[in-house]
């Protein structure tokens, strides 16, 4: 297997301080990537034996070998731009607002992500800071999804299965079993997943330059990636909708997630070098996907997939 990439990356960021009390930040980026993949997995073939005794006797059960065109190449273009304005009011309140634009060629949708944050120091000794913010954060379709959809399209790569093959030359005898191909597809209505996040925190400076902070964070995942076999056998008949294929695993953006967390952190300081740190997190996150290529137990009923996330702890 070989995976080669060549890319061009252009980006620029500008800071502008011309307005009183404002710090304006804006920029953009363009990235183009050429991906060239060669996957010759099992092009040499593999024997399968029913038991160790059959292996010792040189009597294989099945021989599998892949053939076809193992190469796939494609281009990915990603463009983004943002603008952010930071306003300082009376040295106690800082407001930061902005918006970000993203577009990926493999998804083909325009994504706008607004964001807003604040930091406030109440009147007094200046040792307490309140912080908060909310925003939307987009993600891109993994290149591995595009790669697999091109290689495993049911035409480019094919698997040949020989039952009761001769050994060590499998093509001298045996029966070629014609098996339908399995494919991986990307849903035509695929969308970029995004996280909606909001949080608030308070930070207190203690004696001897110690700091204690408490933060509450609320997150919601929308249009998350998962896979579903759209050619699974229909329960009523046990037949596949398209008999020319075995599995048709379709990458979709139909999953979701919800989470909330409470984080308590302490940052100490002893002398000039030693800075002890401690943190406790109480959180709960539920979702109905384990990743881009995760498949549900029941392709016709995705409800039971909802449960504690893999990273929930």
């Amino acid at each position: 297997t070989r995976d080669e990439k060549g890319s061009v990356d252009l980006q620029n960021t500008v800071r502008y301080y011309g307005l009183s009390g404002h710090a304006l930040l804006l920029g953009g980026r363009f990235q183009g990537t050429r991906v060239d993949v060669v996957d010759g997995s099992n092009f040499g073939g593999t024997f399968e034996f029913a038991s160790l005794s059959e292996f010792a006797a040189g009597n294989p059960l099945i021989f599998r070998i892949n053939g076809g065109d193992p190469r796939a190449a494609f281009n990915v273009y990603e463009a983004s731009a943002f603008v952010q304005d930071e306003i300082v009011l009376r040295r106690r309140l800082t407001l930061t607002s902005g918006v970000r634009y993203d577009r990926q060629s493999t998804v083909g949708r325009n994504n706008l992500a607004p964001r807003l944050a604040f930091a406030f120091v109440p009147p007094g000794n200046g040792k307490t800071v309140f912080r908060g913010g909310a925003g939307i954060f987009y993600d891109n379709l993994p290149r591995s999804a595009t790669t697999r959809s091109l290689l495993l399209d049911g035409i480019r790569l094919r698997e040949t299965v020989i039952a009761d093959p001769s050994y060590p030359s499998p093509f001298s005898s045996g029966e070629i079993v014609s098996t339908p191909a399995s494919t991986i597809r990307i849903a035509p209505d695929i969308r970029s997943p995004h996280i909606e996040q909001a949080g608030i925190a308070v930070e207190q400076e203690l004696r001897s330059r110690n700091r204690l902070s408490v933060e509450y964070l609320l997150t919601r995942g929308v249009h998350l990636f998962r896979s579903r076999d759209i050619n699974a056998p229909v329960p009523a008949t046990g037949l596949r909708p398209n008999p020319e294929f075995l599995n048709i695993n379709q990458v979709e953006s139909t999953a979701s997630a919800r989470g909330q967390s409470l984080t308590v952190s302490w940052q100490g300081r002893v002398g000039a070098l030693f800075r002890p740190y401690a943190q406790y997190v109480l959180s709960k996150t539920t979702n109905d996907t384990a990743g881009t290529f995760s498949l549900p137990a029941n392709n016709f009923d995705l409800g039971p997939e909802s449960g504690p996330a893999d990273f929930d702890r």
Side-chain angles (χ1 to χ4, degrees):
T1 302
R2 186 177 79 248
D3 189 348
E4 298 180 351
K5 299 183 181 71
S7 63
V8 57
D9 193 337
L10 304 174
Q11 55 182 313
N12 187 45
T13 303
V14 177
R15 294 181 181 271
Y16 180 67
Y17 299 96
L19 300 177
S20 176
H22 291 256
L24 193 64
L25 181 67
L26 53 93
R29 179 182 183 182
F30 172 81
Q31 184 178 37
T33 304
R34 173 69 175 181
V35 182
D36 196 336
V37 181
V38 177
D39 187 356
S41 302
N42 203 36
F43 266 52
T46 304
F47 287 99
E48 297 180 14
F49 298 84
S51 64
L52 288 176
S53 59
E54 292 293 328
F55 171 72
N59 185 24
L61 179 67
I62 285 177
F63 177 79
R64 302 177 186 270
I65 187 170
N66 289 337
D69 183 4
R71 182 179 180 273
F74 60 95
N75 298 320
V76 180
Y77 302 101
E78 298 173 5
S80 62
F82 72 92
V83 59
Q84 175 183 296
D85 185 20
E86 182 178 290
I87 309 173
V88 180
L89 303 175
R90 298 183 180 180
R91 298 184 179 181
R92 292 193 177 278
L93 177 63
T94 301
L95 296 177
T96 304
S97 61
V99 62
R100 181 180 178 89
Y101 166 84
D102 286 284
R103 183 182 177 93
Q104 184 187 31
S105 61
T106 50
V107 176
R109 290 178 179 268
N110 298 314
N111 301 317
L112 288 177
R115 298 166 191 178
L116 178 67
F118 76 89
F120 174 66
V121 179
N125 55 16
K127 294 186 176 182
T128 304
V129 181
F130 292 91
R131 308 180 191 274
I136 298 176
F137 304 86
Y138 280 90
D139 198 3
N140 290 325
L141 179 70
R143 293 170 187 168
S144 57
T146 304
T147 299
R148 294 192 188 187
S149 67
L150 292 175
L151 287 174
L152 303 178
D153 60 354
I155 300 175
R156 189 184 301 267
L157 293 178
R158 301 287 298 186
E159 182 185 57
T160 299
V161 180
I162 302 177
D164 298 323
S166 56
Y167 184 82
S169 177
F171 300 102
S172 300
S173 64
E175 177 186 359
I176 296 180
V177 180
S178 178
T179 58
S182 293
T183 70
I184 293 179
R185 297 178 180 176
I186 297 177
D189 59 346
I190 196 78
R191 302 183 63 174
S192 298
H194 69 266
I195 299 294
E196 300 171 359
Q197 183 172 290
I200 190 168
V202 58
E203 182 179 295
Q204 177 69 45
E205 182 178 349
L206 307 176
R207 293 187 304 172
S208 302
R209 294 177 293 183
N210 287 257
R211 289 183 176 275
L212 179 69
S213 65
V214 180
E215 179 185 23
Y216 175 74
L217 188 65
L218 187 65
T219 60
R220 176 173 175 258
V222 183
H223 300 303
L224 304 184
F225 292 133
R226 67 172 161 206
S227 293
R228 183 171 61 93
D229 183 5
I230 60 175
N231 201 44
V234 179
T237 63
L239 302 177
R240 297 182 182 272
N242 189 344
E244 296 183 1
F245 293 93
L246 190 61
N247 300 327
I248 302 178
N249 295 340
Q250 179 171 270
V251 178
E252 303 175 340
S253 52
T254 57
S256 61
R258 289 182 179 273
Q260 55 182 331
S261 65
L262 180 67
T263 303
V264 181
S265 304
W266 170 76
Q267 174 72 64
R269 186 166 183 175
V270 179
L273 300 178
F274 185 49
R275 297 185 179 184
Y277 179 79
Q279 183 180 82
Y280 177 77
V281 180
L282 177 64
S283 68
K284 180 180 181 180
T285 305
T286 60
N287 63 10
D288 53 6
T289 177
T292 304
F293 303 106
S294 64
L295 290 166
N298 185 347
N299 292 279
F300 298 95
D301 185 6
L302 302 178
E305 293 300 308
S306 181
D310 292 343
F311 53 85
D312 178 64
R313 59 185 179 184

